[in-house]
Amino acid sequence: MEKLMVIVMPMLEGCEITLQIFSLTLIMALPLGLLAAMAKLSKFRLVRVLTDVYIWLMRGTPLMLQLLFVYFALPLVGIRLPDIAAALLAFTLNYAAYFAEIFRSGIQSIERGQYEAAKTLGMTYMQTMRRIIIPQMVKRVLPPISNETINLVKDTSLIYILAMNDLLRVARTIVQREFDMTPFLIAAVFYLAMTFVLTWIFKKLEAHYAKYDE
Amino acid sequence: MGNDIMIQMKNIYKRFNELEVLKGIDLEVRRGEVLAIIGPSGSGKSTLLRCLNRLESIDCGTIEIEGDFLAREEEGIAKYADKIASQRILSRMGMVFQQFNLFPHMTVLENLIEAPVQVKKMKPEQIIPTAESLLDKVGLLAKKDVFPSRLSGGQQQRVAIARALAMNPDIMLFDEPTSALDPELTGEVLRTMRRLAQEHMTMIVVTHEMAFAREVAHKVIFMADGEIVEQGTPQELFSNPQQARTKAFLQNML
């Protein structure tokens, strides 16, 4: 039992890093993704093109490469970020790009009649988006957003290459030190627990939005 | 019925790329008047209505609503009023759509109070009594807390009428309000509209309901190919049409 605690305690600390990266990325990437989705639907061509380039770069290169770039290449041009900030920057930019595409398709799936009804009632574009379009969009994009969110929990393990002691890196360190595979099993249980909670939250959200049909 | 002119459209032209859909429309509606616009599909009647409240923009012509210019013809093109003036003018018109277009994520009552709260910045408690009496008027007060998907098409359309009325418009525009409904549900919507007409609401109704046009409208316009072919009282147009195209259309409808 005592031996197990020696393994589990540092892994709980690793979990803290993992959850920190996960939640901060989500908090920043969701609004940024919505902003990018709106930019993609902008009437200004330049805004649309720039957003397309950003999304293409983020989805077209490995997240691992983006992490390495922020961590190792940016300091060469004088931008040196603290470890956590560097990881957050890469994760947020990457996930916001995926969220943007999901939000955009959700927004475009709302019938034109909704915009027209809002317009004839005198609502402005921003009021229409905020009150009519986005609330309906959220219901429709919950399943794909749920998918991406679960991916994010697991993708956080990529930060092991930045020498940050997240859950997976702690597990590996102990495995190498003790020649004992148990930490890997415990890590799996931790990841499963986190994704279980997320799945449950999204199920609740979907049930909440099921109060109205379309 | 007063004699003051509520809506005046002059020389309206509108094209979608190569397709000319309105070719020089002139139209006048007086206060309390009910105008029915009939005609085959593709005749431009819905487009005309949508130009009136700027869901579409006209290319040429003048639109005057209660004495204010929404658009004014200058050197052959339509110049629109600035944003603030446009908003003020457009707020006098309510619109009812073929597909109802209720907000599905809001209850019936929330649908009604949304625009007054957001646009007119009224407090919910200020507008709820009005909204409830409007729902009562269309016979749906009991449904105020349900979501639109729980209502029949006819009920949804009556809510849509009440929602437009909650903004207290001077003019109501109806774009084929019963075309998406099962035949047995059109009656309840037409009854609601008839009642509105009896209360002297100024109305423009694009419709395929000839009986309604004949009975409720003060004036009927027959459109085909982007032009007004014939207009007159229902009596004149239905009983004694002058143009061959009007006769052919009416024959097909009956």
Side-chain angles (χ1 to χ4, degrees):
Chain A
M1 190 63 203
E2 209 169 292
K3 185 172 173 261
L4 198 64
M5 288 311 285
V6 172
I7 298 173
V8 168
M9 286 319 284
M11 287 184 72
L12 274 175
E13 277 169 40
C15 259
E16 208 182 309
I17 301 273
T18 294
L19 283 172
Q20 206 174 19
I21 298 277
F22 167 78
S23 49
L24 289 175
T25 299
L26 210 56
I27 288 169
M28 292 189 293
L30 284 170
L32 186 63
L34 185 58
L35 202 68
M38 304 274 277
K40 261 202 85 147
L41 299 169
S42 163
K43 58 182 167 185
F44 301 108
R45 204 180 118 82
L46 182 67
V47 175
R48 289 200 307 269
V49 169
L50 287 176
T51 316
D52 275 340
V53 169
Y54 154 68
I55 291 174
W56 175 60
L57 284 176
M58 291 300 133
R59 297 200 307 175
T61 57
L63 176 53
M64 175 86 88
L65 181 62
Q66 293 162 19
L67 275 166
L68 291 171
F69 184 86
V70 170
Y71 200 71
F72 294 111
L74 285 189
L76 298 181
V77 291
I79 303 172
R80 190 173 294 278
L81 296 171
D83 288 0
I84 291 238
L88 279 176
L89 179 65
F91 275 114
T92 300
L93 288 177
N94 181 277
Y95 270 80
Y98 284 92
F99 288 150
E101 281 297 302
I102 293 172
F103 288 146
R104 177 196 56 79
S105 66
I107 290 171
Q108 285 184 321
S109 76
I110 307 294
E111 299 68 24
R112 201 179 55 157
Q114 294 287 306
Y115 293 90
E116 292 186 345
K119 188 176 174 193
T120 59
L121 288 167
M123 296 174 75
T124 63
Y125 178 75
M126 284 316 287
Q127 286 171 335
T128 305
M129 290 312 275
R130 189 170 55 83
R131 300 282 309 171
I132 309 299
I133 306 300
I134 291 173
Q136 292 183 65
M137 174 275 277
V138 169
K139 173 179 174 149
R140 294 187 190 186
V141 302
L142 272 179
I145 291 290
S146 162
N147 258 341
E148 286 301 320
T149 308
I150 286 170
N151 264 338
L152 176 59
V153 174
K154 294 173 294 173
D155 272 353
T156 53
S157 61
L158 288 175
I159 57 172
Y160 87 92
I161 53 156
L162 307 187
M164 282 159 77
N165 284 318
D166 75 309
L167 176 56
L168 189 60
R169 191 186 168 91
V170 171
R172 204 179 58 153
T173 311
I174 302 173
V175 167
Q176 285 169 342
R177 195 180 60 212
E178 314 270 333
F179 299 107
D180 176 2
M181 294 298 145
T182 325
F184 281 155
L185 281 176
I186 297 171
V189 170
F190 279 163
Y191 282 116
L192 283 169
M194 287 187 266
T195 50
F196 178 81
V197 171
L198 278 176
T199 311
W200 180 81
I201 290 173
F202 275 99
K203 217 162 123 185
K204 286 279 163 205
L205 277 172
E206 283 187 39
H208 170 76
Y209 279 99
K211 69 182 183 200
Y212 74 87
D213 302 318
E214 296 178 62
Chain B
M1 196 190 308
N3 260 347
D4 36 346
I5 292 167
M6 295 289 274
I7 299 172
Q8 186 145 41
M9 295 176 102
K10 272 190 212 148
N11 201 32
I12 305 293
Y13 282 85
K14 164 78 183 165
R15 58 163 66 240
F16 291 118
N17 298 319
E18 292 307 297
L19 184 70
E20 205 159 29
V21 282
L22 298 176
K23 307 170 189 167
I25 301 281
D26 295 304
L27 180 141
E28 216 176 80
V29 182
R30 292 166 191 280
R31 183 178 299 279
E33 196 168 49
V34 177
L35 169 68
I37 305 180
I38 61 172
S41 32
S43 59
K45 54 193 193 308
S46 280
T47 306
L48 181 65
L49 202 65
R50 292 166 60 84
C51 284
L52 199 51
N53 65 0
R54 253 211 118 166
L55 289 177
E56 308 285 354
S57 295
I58 57 171
D59 300 321
C60 171
T62 297
I63 301 176
E64 204 180 333
I65 312 280
E66 295 181 271
D68 294 314
F69 287 101
L70 177 64
R72 197 174 208 156
E73 187 174 334
E74 276 174 28
E75 290 159 5
I77 47 169
K79 293 270 277 185
Y80 274 93
D82 63 50
K83 206 171 163 182
I84 292 176
S86 288
Q87 267 168 3
R88 187 168 46 83
I89 295 167
L90 292 172
S91 71
R92 298 172 192 161
M93 291 181 281
M95 175 100 165
V96 174
F97 299 87
Q98 186 178 345
Q99 298 297 338
F100 330 134
N101 294 341
L102 292 178
F103 304 133
H105 60 305
M106 297 180 180
T107 64
V108 165
L109 188 66
E110 286 167 349
N111 263 276
L112 262 71
I113 67 172
E114 178 65 12
V117 170
Q118 296 295 324
V119 179
K120 291 189 172 170
K121 309 292 176 202
M122 294 172 81
K123 292 204 169 67
E125 58 268 27
Q126 283 178 291
I127 185 68
I128 283 175
T130 314
E132 287 183 340
S133 77
L134 284 169
L135 284 175
D136 194 28
K137 194 165 143 183
V138 301
L140 289 169
L141 185 54
K143 302 281 187 189
K144 67 177 175 142
D145 293 321
V146 310
F147 287 96
S149 58
R150 291 298 171 88
L151 302 177
S152 72
Q155 291 173 328
Q156 288 192 47
Q157 194 60 298
R158 280 144 65 200
V159 172
I161 294 172
R163 178 178 69 175
L165 291 173
M167 286 299 277
N168 197 22
D170 298 335
I171 300 160
M172 285 285 283
L173 309 177
F174 294 84
D175 188 7
E176 303 196 25
T178 57
S179 296
L181 296 175
D182 292 334
E184 74 268 24
L185 298 178
T186 59
E188 56 189 79
V189 172
L190 294 176
R191 264 196 302 283
T192 304
M193 291 168 62
R194 189 175 290 125
R195 192 161 155 200
L196 215 49
Q198 283 159 0
E199 292 168 7
H200 308 297
M201 173 63 79
T202 307
M203 294 162 62
I204 302 185
V205 186
V206 169
T207 187
H208 292 294
E209 297 283 340
M210 294 304 139
F212 177 81
R214 183 172 205 149
E215 214 183 300
V216 179
H218 302 103
K219 190 163 81 181
V220 182
I221 283 179
F222 172 67
M223 275 182 79
D225 292 328
E227 290 172 311
I228 294 177
V229 176
E230 191 167 347
Q231 56 182 308
T233 64
Q235 180 69 17
E236 288 165 349
L237 203 101
F238 287 110
S239 307
N240 189 21
Q242 301 297 307
Q243 303 291 325
R245 292 168 85 179
T246 320
K247 284 178 195 164
F249 175 77
L250 290 174
Q251 227 139 44
N252 272 330
M253 293 302 290
L254 299 174

